[in-house]
Amino acid sequence: MALPKKVVGACLACLWLTFFWVIDDRESQGHSGAVYSRGVESCRVCHQAIFDTFIQTAHFKTSARAGDSSITAEGKGKFSDGRNVLRTRTAEVYFKMERRGADYYQTAIEAAVDASKNRSRTERFDIVIGSGRKGQSYLYWKTGLLFQLPVSYLVGIEEWINSPGYVDGQINFERVIQPRCLECHSASFKLEMAGGRPQYSSDYELGVTCAKCHGEGEQHVAYQSAHPTEKEGKHILNPARFPRDRQLDNCALCHSGAWDPKKPPFSYQPGQRLDEYAPSGAGEADPAADVHGNQIALLRQSKCFRASPAMSCSTCHDVHQRERDLVQLAQKCLSCHQTGQCKVAAKLGPRMMNYCVDCHMPNRKSNLIRINAPVKQFAPEYRSHAIGVYRQVAEATLQTIQGKRD
């Protein structure tokens, strides 16, 4: 099968990459299984309640070993006949997703008039990227490196789609995943040289874990184990005690848009200034910031943020909890605002708290992520962190509510 030329690809955080070398064989040694989060397990001993809720969060689930729990659970990827095929605008090119025993596979097929002359390529789902709330992409191992599979899954429409940035109707298994992408979708991936070629160490750690915000905990665990009556945590970082700018930097590492680091990926440590690691301007207020992946820039331009010296991401978010209840999130607004200040409160009625987030932080289409489908191109929506007054959104909400009442 003729594969397309090497193309400029996007990493899963929408950092656009260039495929920079060709590798031919599949890696079969040392990368058969993901390392379970050792750091989280060591934290579990003393922080069971936090552990129990944290492992349910999108951060923790942002990458995982491919398997039933990560791929098909909770209404994610569909593998039953009739729902496991992605057709493309090129009639003879299609993709098929299958489960074979305990493993999952993706096959690209280039059909010929004579079926015996069909060409195909199959790769295994090895790592899942994305918690599955919005969607998921999939990676496979080859000679110690990770490559993105050409088909992803979008939860909202419950369909297989071309992976973001892929050209519909083309077969491309050669999008290599660089360390900066993995930095925001895992706890650790070390790149090392082996036989003159770069490859990822088999000692990797999936999911965003405690160390991402609290720093490495080996010394902390050793000390607290030797001093079990000591109540004050030693040799561990508490981001809540950082100055606001450092708290924001912690989140901006992965929520400030696409940029190339000035230092090696995974070298940033919690509490450091981000501008020592990221290029100038990363995470600064920017009206053109995209709703996907640049929440910090959008937040910084908000009046709420500019008028609140102590406001940070944790003012509204608890990273240890799975947060899906918009009414519960809206309650955080009441620490500064009163419901009577809302000019449409009377029209919204007693359930006005249901609409605070949707009105003042509406979902917006991403300008960076583009899905190429056979008949159209579309962009997924993400919640804007530019907190403000969106009159058109409010009017549309009122019309919807009035329609339900009528």
Side-chain angles (χ1 to χ4, degrees), residues 254-268:
C254 295
H255 295 280
S256 60
W259 42 263
D260 292 323
K262 296 189 290 187
K263 297 180 180 180
F266 294 100
S267 64
Y268 174 82

Side-chain angles (χ1 to χ4, degrees), residues 242-249 305-306 308-312:
F242 292 170
R244 176 168 83 157
D245 283 346
R246 298 294 79 75
Q247 291 184 41
L248 292 168
D249 283 350
F305 179 86
R306 291 184 279 110
S308 307
M311 187 178 184
S312 68

Side-chain angles (χ1 to χ4, degrees), residues 116-261:
S116 65
K117 296 181 179 179
N118 286 355
R119 292 179 149 186
S120 66
R121 175 172 174 176
T122 299
E123 297 292 351
R124 187 177 66 185
F125 290 59
D126 287 328
I127 291 178
V128 179
I129 298 294
S131 67
R133 182 178 173 229
K134 293 279 189 182
Q136 291 182 321
S137 277
Y138 313 96
L139 312 183
Y140 73 96
W141 285 107
K142 185 171 71 170
T143 53
L145 291 176
L146 285 166
F147 294 78
Q148 187 176 16
L149 291 171
V151 177
S152 298
Y153 189 79
L154 197 59
V155 172
I157 59 175
E158 296 187 339
E159 290 182 7
W160 296 100
I161 60 170
N162 292 299
S163 292
Y166 277 74
V167 177
D168 184 67
Q170 291 188 6
I171 296 173
N172 178 16
F173 283 85
E174 306 306 326
R175 180 185 283 179
V176 69
I177 301 302
Q178 292 189 355
R180 171 59 186 153
C181 301
L182 296 169
E183 183 174 33
C184 291
H185 288 277
S186 70
S188 174
F189 261 94
K190 301 172 185 175
L191 193 63
E192 55 192 22
M193 297 300 292
R197 287 184 171 185
Q199 70 173 32
Y200 288 114
S201 167
S202 59
D203 184 26
Y204 60 90
E205 192 172 1
L206 298 174
V208 169
T209 60
C210 307
K212 207 74 167 185
C213 298
H214 295 281
E216 295 299 333
E218 287 86 351
Q219 191 175 1
H220 168 69
V221 171
Y223 179 88
Q224 300 299 149
S225 298
H227 304 81
T229 59
E230 177 67 63
K231 299 301 181 183
E232 182 180 353
K234 301 288 188 180
H235 310 296
I236 199 72
L237 297 172
N238 183 349
R241 297 174 183 168
F242 292 170
R244 176 168 83 157
D245 283 346
R246 298 294 79 75
Q247 291 184 41
L248 292 168
D249 283 350
N250 252 23
C251 300
L253 175 68
C254 295
H255 295 280
S256 60
W259 42 263
D260 292 323

